[in-house]
Amino acid sequence: MGEGAGFQLGTVGALSLSVVSSVSIVICNKALMSSLGFIFATTLTSWHLLVTFCSLHVALLMKLFEHKPFDRKAVMGFGVLNGISIGLLNLSLGFNSVGFYQMTKLAIIPCTVFLETVFLAKKFSRSIQFSLSILLLGVGIATVTDLQLNLLGSVVSLLAIVTTCVAQIMTNTIQKKFKVSSTQLLYQSAPYQALTLFVAGPFLDGLLTNQNVFAFNYTPQVLIFIVLSCLISVSVNFSTFLVIGKTSPVTYQVLGHLKTCLVLTFGYVLLHDPFSWRNIFGISVAIVGMVLYSYFCTSEGQQKAREASSQMLQVKDNDSEALMRAESGAGIDADGAAPTATVWSSNKDLRA
């Protein structure tokens, strides 16, 4: 009972931290890129991961968590794949319209469901599939406006979807397989992610913006927002690994669409971004899908817990019955008389 309650509390805390930190960094980065003109997203992400690693290293020195080395090849492959997926998502936004990019993000959930079903034999009930369909429909209505297709952009988007799905599934499976915490996995993989993006970032940003990140005019205001963005990113990266480890890649994607709805709302309230009845209707439908997904997940989780508990009770009852039969069989022989060996042994002890 106590462990279950603790897990639920930890999950709620992780989800809340992920939402707050992600919405905060989107608002911060929007001010940095839109207002101050710093549009080098991939390079900025590499700085985020570098600051995250340094922060975790300080936490390790303070003994806030334990370092647990494990398969270096798995960590390296995972870190590089994560870095590639981030770069491909940024390229997808650069080579496609905003509407097609949003469709790319929407496709991550069904792709994740497909991969987990085929390769991990995970089952998703019809109720879960129905709630996810409503969620995706709502987010699509709220965010997808123009759909302009091109071959290069479509290929990049497809690669971004696959790498993102595989990386998020690995985030969950690695934690369970090697019995490492989200902090331990992030600490060991962050350098590889940062290095991948640090090498590729300036090239990708130059390709997308036709500007040189190292030639940018770094005013004090720009530096302040960059530092603030990097500090918030520590919480974003930590909560991402925490949520996927405690729940699942699909739940993390559902949470991501909740953040999208919140960002649209905050953008309208705080930054006076354009907002239409289509946005309102889409967000409302998406929220219905999220509520249904949460309800079905909770119900199915409770049902599985009850089934597991009843199975344990049944096993205990069977063990008790077997023990009672064994004791009864040992106490009476086949003729119904008490065994003489025990009496003889007792008499022998008395004579001794």
Side-chain angles (χ1 to χ4, degrees):
M1 183 84 177
E3 291 182 2
F7 178 83
Q8 291 297 327
L9 182 62
T11 302
V12 171
L15 294 172
S16 303
L17 178 64
S18 180
V19 170
V20 172
S21 58
S22 295
V23 172
S24 300
I25 202 170
V26 166
I27 294 174
C28 177
N29 288 348
K30 189 166 186 177
L32 179 62
M33 294 181 181
S34 300
S35 303
L36 301 177
F38 187 86
I39 52 177
F40 309 102
T42 309
T43 303
L44 180 63
T45 305
S46 71
W47 297 345
H48 286 171
L49 289 162
L50 183 61
V51 171
T52 297
F53 172 73
C54 293
S55 302
L56 289 176
H57 190 66
V58 172
L60 179 64
L61 294 176
M62 296 173 63
K63 297 183 178 180
L64 296 179
F65 71 96
E66 180 183 355
H67 179 46
K68 185 179 179 181
F70 59 99
D71 192 341
R72 182 175 292 274
K73 289 183 179 179
V75 174
M76 186 182 300
F78 168 71
V80 172
L81 181 64
N82 249 318
I84 291 173
S85 70
I86 294 170
L88 286 172
L89 281 172
N90 288 340
L91 277 177
S92 175
L93 179 59
F95 286 135
N96 294 299
S97 63
V98 175
F100 191 82
Y101 174 71
Q102 290 296 339
M103 286 295 294
T104 299
K105 291 175 67 177
L106 290 176
I108 292 175
I109 283 184
C111 182
T112 303
V113 170
F114 172 77
L115 291 176
E116 288 195 309
T117 301
V118 173
F119 295 102
L120 299 180
K122 187 173 181 179
K123 295 181 180 179
F124 295 87
S125 67
R126 291 185 179 274
S127 300
I128 295 293
Q129 294 175 24
F130 173 70
S131 62
L132 289 175
S133 300
I134 293 178
L135 165 67
L136 295 176
L137 175 64
V139 176
I141 293 172
T143 61
V144 177
T145 51
D146 56 327
L147 281 178
Q148 299 175 8
L149 304 179
N150 65 82
L151 180 60
L152 179 60
S154 300
V155 172
V156 170
S157 293
L158 179 61
L159 292 174
I161 291 168
V162 173
T163 53
T164 300
C165 292
V166 173
Q168 291 182 357
I169 291 172
M170 286 180 67
T171 303
N172 183 273
T173 54
I174 286 177
Q175 291 185 52
K176 289 179 169 56
K177 179 179 179 181
F178 295 102
K179 294 181 171 56
V180 293
S181 67
S182 55
T183 310
Q184 291 167 332
L185 178 58
L186 179 59
Y187 174 71
Q188 294 187 64
S189 63
Y192 299 108
Q193 296 182 59
L195 182 61
T196 302
L197 292 176
F198 192 77
V199 172
F203 170 75
L204 294 180
D205 288 334
L207 182 66
L208 295 174
T209 65
N210 293 321
Q211 296 182 38
N212 187 350
V213 64
F214 301 110
F216 187 78
N217 181 25
Y218 291 89
T219 64
Q221 192 175 11
V222 169
L223 291 175
I224 289 173
F225 271 91
I226 288 176
V227 171
L228 181 60
S229 178
C230 288
L231 292 176
I232 299 174
S233 73
V234 176
S235 176
V236 173
N237 292 323
F238 172 73
S239 62
T240 296
F241 280 57
L242 191 62
V243 168
I244 295 177
K246 282 186 171 295
T247 56
S248 70
V250 172
T251 298
Y252 175 72
Q253 285 299 322
V254 171
L255 189 69
H257 291 305
L258 171 62
K259 299 171 195 173
T260 301
C261 294
L262 290 175
V263 167
L264 287 173
T265 304
F266 285 135
Y268 172 72
V269 174
L270 300 178
L271 305 176
H272 305 291
D273 289 342
F275 210 66
S276 66
W277 284 106
R278 174 176 174 170
N279 298 129
I280 296 173
F281 177 69
I283 290 175
S284 301
V285 173
I287 290 174
V288 171
M290 292 175 201
V291 171
L292 289 174
Y293 177 80
S294 177
Y295 172 75
F296 291 139
C297 283
T298 303
S299 299
E300 291 180 9
Q302 291 174 347
Q303 183 178 354
K304 288 179 181 178
R306 284 194 297 267
E307 290 175 356
S309 178
S310 63
Q311 287 178 356
M312 288 180 63
L313 289 174
Q314 186 175 359
V315 170
K316 288 181 179 179
D317 290 341
N318 292 338
D319 289 344
S320 299
E321 290 178 5
L323 183 60
M324 290 175 65
R325 288 173 183 171
E327 289 176 349
S328 300
I332 300 175
D333 63 11
D335 297 329
T340 57
T342 306
V343 176
W344 177 84
S345 177
S346 300
N347 292 337
K348 184 177 178 182
D349 291 339
L350 287 172
R351 287 197 300 269

